[in-house]
C-alpha cells in the first residue's frame, strides 16, 4: 500500500528510472508516468502531490524522456521551490529548474533586456511603500503607516489582475472588493506611483512579470528562444495563480501543451492577492485532451480528521465546491476531533494550554503541536496562557505581540500618560482605568468600532483592541489599579515573552499555516464574526472562509481540537455563537439547511433530511461508482463519452449570461456549468424531467424552468419572471 509523504532526510538515490516509481500509489504512479500532453492533477490535502510531481519529473529525466535543462517547475514560495529542488536531487534529477514565477521571470528579464529593449534593466525596487507614500503625498492624501501598507497591497492586486490605474475603481466595484480607501483616491495614487517609477527608472516585483510578458508578446524571437530552452513545464499550487502569472505561463508555452499542473480548488485562500482557481477549474476546457488524475488517498490525517474535513466541504457552495475531492484516509484510526465550548476567551486559552501540556507529558513533542487562529491579534492571550503553563512556543508568520510596532507605540503612550498622572488633559473625562486606556489609545488609531475590511489597518486595530481588553480584565482583577500598575504589568508580560526562541508549540494564523502539518492542531476562536470573519459579506467571501477552516483542519495528523468562547471576558454576556461551518458536524448541532447540489446561488433551506442518498451513484456509461460531486451531477465519469447537445449547451450558456446580467450576479448563481451540461445531455421535456437533474432545485425550477424547457424544445425563452 503505502506512499508516505514523509521520508528519511537523506534517502538513497534510486538506482534506475523504474526504481523512481517504487512506493507510489496507483494514482501517484499515473501522474509520474503521464509525460506527454497536458496533465492536470487534482490533489487533496495530504495526498502527496509534491511527491507525485517530483517523481514525475525525475522519472522523465532518468528514463531519458526529459532533458533536465528543458524542464521548468514553478511554484509560489522560495521555500516550496527549494524543497522541490532538494527532492529532485535526491531522486537523481539535478539540473532541473525549480523556481518561483518571479524568480524565473527576473532571470529571463535580466538576460533578454539588452537585446529586446537596450541598456541595463531598471533597478528593482525592493520596497515600494516609500514610493507609494510619496505618490500619496503628491496627491495630497494623508496615509498613516498601516493605510500605506493597505494601499500598497491594493496596487499589487491591481497589477497582478492586469488592471491599469484608470480602471481600478471599476474593477473594485465589479469584484466587490472592500477597498481600504476611496477607490478614486487609490486610483490616483496608483497612477502617480507608476509615473514616479518611470521617472526614476525603477521597477517593482509585479513589473518583473508585466515586463517579461510584454517582451514575450512583442518579440517573437525572444519568445522562440525561451521556448527552445524550456520544453516542459510543471506548475505547483495551480489554484493560486493570478491572471498575470497565467498569461506568462501561456507565453512560455506558446502553442505547445507540454504542461503539468497540480492544485486543489478547495485550498484557494488567497483571492485577496489576486489568486483564482478558475485556471485550474477551466483546464479541461482549455486542453480537451488533458490527462486528469485525482489524488484522494490522504496519508497525513486519520480517518476521524478526514471525515470532518470531508464534512466541511460537503456543505460548501460555489464553483470550487463542485470540484471538491472526497479524501480517503490511509492511516489507522485515531481519536475523534474534540469540540470544546468555553465561557470566555481567557478560559479557552487556559484550557488549550492545559491540554497542550497534557499532550507533551504524554510524549507529543512541543514542535509537533500548533495553535491556529484567524487573525494575528488573537495570539496574545495564547502567548500568555502558554507562558503561564510553562509551555515553550514560537510564533510563525507574525511578530510576537509585544514586538509589534503598534503595541510598542501604545506602550510608550501609556507610559507617558502614567508619568503625567492627573496633568494629562487627555484623561480629564476618563473615570476609570479602561476608559483612560481607551482615551490614550484613541490617539494611536483605536476606535470603538473596528475599521471596515481586512489588511494592516484592521490588524493594527485588533492589536490595540487586545490592549483595551487586557486593561479591562486587569481592572476587574485589580480594582483601584491605575495606569502605572498597568504599565508595570505590560512590562512584566513583555519581558516574560521575549525569551530566546525555542523549539516549542507553533502559534500561527490559518493563512500562514498553509503547506504545514503537525501531529496535534488546536483550532481556536471558532465563533461567528471570527470564522467567518465579520467583513466576509458576499457568498464567495464566506466560502473562502470555509476553505480557510478546511485548510486548518487538514493540517492535523492525529489530534484535532476545535474550540470557541461564548464571551470575550470573564463575566461577560454569553452572546457569541460557534461558527456556522460546524453545524451538523459537531455533536449536538443542527445540520444546516440543505442546498441544491449545484452550489452557490441556489441554496434551498429548511428541507434537511428530505433528500437522502439511496445507495451509490453509478456512471450511466461505464457503471463505475461516482464520488466526485461534478461527475455525480452528470451521472457519468468525466472521461466517459458524452452525448451532450453542443448547440443546446451554447444556447443555454448564452441565456444564462443574460439572466446573470439582469440579476447582477455571477453566472454560476443561475446554473453552474455542470448543471447546464447535464441539461444539455438529458434534454428534458417536462418540469418533472428537469427537476430530476441535480442542481435544479424547487426555487430554480420555479424561476428558470419555463425558459430552460423552451430552449430545450428549440424555442425562444421569454427571458423573465414576474417580480415577487
Amino acid at each position: 500500500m503505502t506512499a508516505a509523504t514523509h521520508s528519511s532526510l537523506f534517502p538513497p538515490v534510486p538506482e534506475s528510472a523504474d526504481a523512481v516509481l517504487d512506493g507510489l500509489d496507483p494514482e501517484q504512479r499515473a501522474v509520474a508516468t503521464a509525460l506527454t500532453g497536458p496533465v492536470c492533477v487534482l490533489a487533496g490535502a495530504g495526498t502527496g502531490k509534491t511527491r507525485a510531481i517530483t517523481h514525475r519529473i525525475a522519472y522523465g529525466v532518468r528514463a531519458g524522456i526529459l532533458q533536465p535543462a528543458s524542464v521548468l517547475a514553478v511554484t509560489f514560495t522560495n521555500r516550496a521551490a527549494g524543497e522541490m529542488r532538494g527532492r529532485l536531487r535526491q531522486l537523481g534529477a539535478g539540473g532541473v529548474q525549480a523556481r518561483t514565477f518571479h524568480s524565473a521571470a527576473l532571470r529571463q528579464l535580466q538576460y533578454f533586456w539588452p537585446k529586446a529593449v537596450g541598456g541595463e534593466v531598471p533597478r528593482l525596487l525592493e520596497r515600494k511603500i516609500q514610493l507609494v507614500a510619496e505618490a500619496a503625498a503628491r496627491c495630497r492624501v494623508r496615509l498613516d503607516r498601516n493605510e500605506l501598507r493597505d494601499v500598497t497591497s491594493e496596487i499589487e492586486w491591481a497589477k497582478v489582475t492586469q488592471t491599469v490605474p484608470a480602471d481600478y475603481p471599476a474593477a473594485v466595484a465589479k469584484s466587490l472588493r472592500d477597498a481600504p480607501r476611496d477607490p478614486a483616491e487609490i486610483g490616483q495614487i496608483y497612477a502617480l506611483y507608476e509615473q514616479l517609477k518611470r521617472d526614476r527608472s525603477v521597477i517593482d516585483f509585479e513589473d518583473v512579470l508585466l515586463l517579461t510578458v510584454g517582451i514575450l508578446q512583442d518579440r517573437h524571437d525572444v519568445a522562440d528562444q525561451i521556448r527552445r530552452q524550456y520544453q516542459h513545464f510543471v506548475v505547483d499550487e495551480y489554484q493560486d495563480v493570478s491572471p498575470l502569472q497565467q498569461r506568462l505561463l501561456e507565453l512560455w508555452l506558446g502553442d505547445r501543451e507540454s504542461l503539468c499542473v497540480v492544485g486543489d480548488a478547495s485550498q484557494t485562500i488567497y483571492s485577496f492577492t489576486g489568486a483564482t482557481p478558475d485556471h485550474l477549474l477551466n483546464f479541461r476546457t482549455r486542453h480537451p485532451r488533458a490527462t486528469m488524475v485525482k489524488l484522494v488517498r490522504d496519508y497525513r490525517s486519520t480517518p476521524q480528521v478526514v471525515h470532518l474535513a470531508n464534512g466541511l466541504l460537503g456543505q460548501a457552495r460555489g464553483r470550487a465546491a463542485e470540484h471538491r475531492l472526497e479524501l480517503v484516509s490511509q492511516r489507522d484510526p485515531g481519536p475523534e476531533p474534540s469540540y470544546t465550548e468555553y465561557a470566555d476567551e481567557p478560559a479557552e486559552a487556559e484550557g488549550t494550554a492545559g491540554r497542550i501540556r497534557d499532550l507533551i507529558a504524554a510524549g507529543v513533542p512541543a514542535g509537533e503541536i500548533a495553535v491556529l487562529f484567524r487573525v494575528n491579534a488573537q495570539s496574545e492571550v495564547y502567548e500568555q496562557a502558554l507562558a503561564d503553563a510553562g509551555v515553550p512556543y514560537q510564533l510563525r508568520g507574525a511578530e510576537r505581540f509585544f514586538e509589534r510596532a503598534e503595541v510598542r507605540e501604545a506602550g510608550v503612550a501609556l507610559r507617558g500618560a502614567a508619568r503625567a498622572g492627573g496633568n494629562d488633559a487627555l484623561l480629564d473625562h476618563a473615570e476609570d482605568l479602561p476608559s483612560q486606556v481607551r482615551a490614550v489609545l484613541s490617539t494611536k488609531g483605536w476606535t470603538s468600532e473596528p475599521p471596515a475590511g481586512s489588511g494592516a489597518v484592521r490588524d493594527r486595530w485588533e492589536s490595540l483592541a487586545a490592549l483595551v481588553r487586557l486593561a479591562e480584565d486587569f481592572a476587574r482583577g485589580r480594582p483601584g489599579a491605575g495606569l502605572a500598575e498597568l504599565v508595570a504589568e505590560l512590562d512584566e508580560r513583555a519581558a516574560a515573552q521575549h525569551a530566546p526562541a525555542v523549539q516549542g508549540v507553533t502559534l500561527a494564523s490559518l493563512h500562514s499555516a498553509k503547506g504545514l502539518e503537525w501531529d496535534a492542531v488546536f483550532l481556536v476562536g471558532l465563533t461567528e464574526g471570527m470564522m467567518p470573519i465579520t467583513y466576509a459579506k458576499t457568498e464567495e467571501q464566506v466560502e473562502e472562509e470555509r476553505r480557510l477552516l478546511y485548510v486548518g483542519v487538514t493540517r492535523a495528523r492525529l489530534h484535532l481540537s476545535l474550540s470557541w468562547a461564548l464571551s470575550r471576558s470573564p463575566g461577560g454576556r454569553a452572546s457569541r455563537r460557534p461558527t456556522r461551518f460546524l453545524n451538523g458536524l459537531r455533536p449536538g448541532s443542527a445540520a444546516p439547511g440543505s442546498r441544491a447540489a449545484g452550489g452557490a446561488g441556489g441554496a434551498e433551506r429548511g428541507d434537511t433530511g428530505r433528500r437522502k442518498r439511496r445507495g451509490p451513484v453509478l456512471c450511466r456509461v461505464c457503471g463505475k461508482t461516482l464520488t466526485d460531486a461534478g461527475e455525480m451531477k452528470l451521472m457519468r465519469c468525466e472521461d466517459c463519452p458524452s452525448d451532450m447537445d453542443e448547440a443546446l449547451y451554447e444556447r443555454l450558456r448564452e441565456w444564462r449570461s443574460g439572466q446573470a446580467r439582469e440579476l447582477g450576479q455571477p453566472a454560476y448563481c443561475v446554473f453552474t456549468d455542470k448543471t447546464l451540461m447535464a441539461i444539455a445531455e438529458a434534454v428534458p421535456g417536462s418540469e418533472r424531467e428537469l427537476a430530476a437533474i441535480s442542481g435544479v432545485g424547487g426555487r430554480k425550477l420555479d424561476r428558470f424552468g419555463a425558459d430552460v424547457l423552451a430552449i430545450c424544445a428549440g424555442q425562444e425563452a421569454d427571458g423573465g419572471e414576474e417580480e415577487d
Side-chain angles (χ1 to χ4, degrees), residues 267-402:
Q267 296 189 67
T268 304
I269 58 172
Y270 298 111
S271 68
F272 57 90
T273 67
T276 171
D278 289 348
H279 307 298
L280 175 67
L281 300 180
N282 294 337
F283 193 84
R284 191 66 173 272
T285 303
R286 294 195 312 276
H287 304 280
R289 299 184 300 106
T291 299
M292 304 289 291
V293 184
K294 295 178 182 178
L295 303 183
V296 297
R297 301 176 196 246
D298 188 330
Y299 297 97
R300 175 187 300 160
S301 304
T302 63
Q304 289 75 13
V305 173
V306 167
H307 178 72
L308 175 57
N310 287 337
L312 272 175
L313 291 189
Q315 298 175 0
R317 305 172 180 176
R319 190 174 179 221
E322 291 185 4
H323 297 263
R324 62 181 175 267
L325 299 168
E326 189 86 6
L327 299 178
V328 181
S329 175
Q330 306 299 297
R331 294 193 54 172
D332 292 334
E336 291 289 341
S338 67
Y339 302 85
T340 310
E341 186 173 274
Y342 292 94
D344 51 67
E345 286 181 5
E348 183 180 10
E350 291 168 10
T352 300
R355 295 187 62 188
I356 289 173
R357 188 172 52 195
D358 292 343
L359 280 176
I360 294 173
V364 179
E368 287 294 345
I369 302 173
V371 179
L372 306 182
F373 33 75
R374 178 60 181 84
V375 297
N376 287 328
Q378 291 173 274
S379 73
E380 193 272 337
V381 67
Y382 291 92
E383 293 176 51
Q384 184 61 44
L386 290 170
D388 290 346
V391 175
Y393 67 88
Q394 55 185 339
L395 278 120
R396 181 180 183 88
E399 297 167 292
R400 292 173 180 269
F401 181 80
F402 286 102

Side-chain angles (χ1 to χ4, degrees), residues 461-669:
W461 183 89
E462 293 281 5
S463 295
L464 297 178
L467 288 175
V468 171
R469 293 194 296 269
L470 191 149
E472 292 168 348
D473 295 340
F474 185 70
R476 272 191 295 271
R478 298 271 301 275
L483 275 175
E485 288 81 5
L486 175 65
V487 168
E489 172 71 12
L490 292 176
D491 288 342
E492 288 182 14
R493 288 179 175 234
Q497 294 174 33
H498 282 177
V502 293
Q503 172 63 18
V505 173
T506 298
L507 297 179
S509 70
L510 286 163
H511 280 102
S512 65
K514 176 77 165 62
L516 304 174
E517 58 187 85
W518 296 270
D519 283 345
V521 169
F522 290 79
L523 301 176
V524 299
L526 300 181
T527 59
E528 287 289 312
M530 193 59 74
M531 177 58 66
I533 199 77
T534 307
Y535 47 78
K537 304 293 187 185
T538 68
E539 185 168 274
E540 289 182 7
Q541 291 168 340
V542 170
E543 286 304 314
E544 182 151 336
E545 292 287 300
R546 188 195 306 274
R547 296 195 294 269
L548 189 56
L549 180 57
Y550 171 79
V551 166
V553 167
T554 55
R555 300 309 94 194
R557 299 190 193 111
L558 180 62
H559 303 280
L560 178 62
S561 171
L562 304 96
S563 64
W564 58 92
L566 296 179
S567 69
R568 179 181 61 76
S569 56
R573 189 163 64 90
S575 58
R576 292 177 172 177
R577 293 180 294 117
T579 174
R580 71 190 77 169
F581 298 146
L582 296 178
N583 289 346
L585 301 175
R586 61 182 176 86
S589 65
S594 68
R595 61 175 182 84
E604 301 280 350
R605 300 184 182 278
D607 59 347
T608 304
R610 286 195 317 192
R611 304 167 83 184
K612 295 184 179 179
R613 179 84 50 84
R614 296 181 180 178
V617 178
L618 304 179
C619 173
R620 56 187 167 82
V621 180
C622 70
K624 175 185 171 184
T625 299
L626 302 177
T627 57
D628 177 79
E631 292 181 343
M632 290 166 67
K633 182 171 293 185
L634 294 174
M635 294 294 291
R636 64 170 175 81
C637 303
E638 282 198 359
D639 295 327
C640 284
S642 168
D643 52 1
M644 182 177 73
D645 184 332
E646 296 284 351
L648 173 57
Y649 177 65
E650 289 305 319
R651 291 199 303 275
L652 288 168
R653 281 173 57 88
E654 184 178 354
W655 164 83
R656 181 183 66 175
S657 297
Q659 291 291 317
R661 283 194 299 271
E662 289 181 18
L663 296 171
Q665 295 180 340
Y668 65 74
C669 291

Side-chain angles (χ1 to χ4, degrees), residues 31 197 221 249 341 360 423 591 605:
V31 174
K197 286 198 290 100
D221 56 333
L249 179 62
E341 186 173 274
I360 294 173
N423 297 322
R605 300 184 182 278

Side-chain angles (χ1 to χ4, degrees), residues 682 684-694 696 701 705 709:
S686 67
E687 283 195 355
R688 183 174 181 179
E689 292 175 358
L690 179 58
I693 294 173
S694 179
V696 183
L701 185 66
L709 290 173

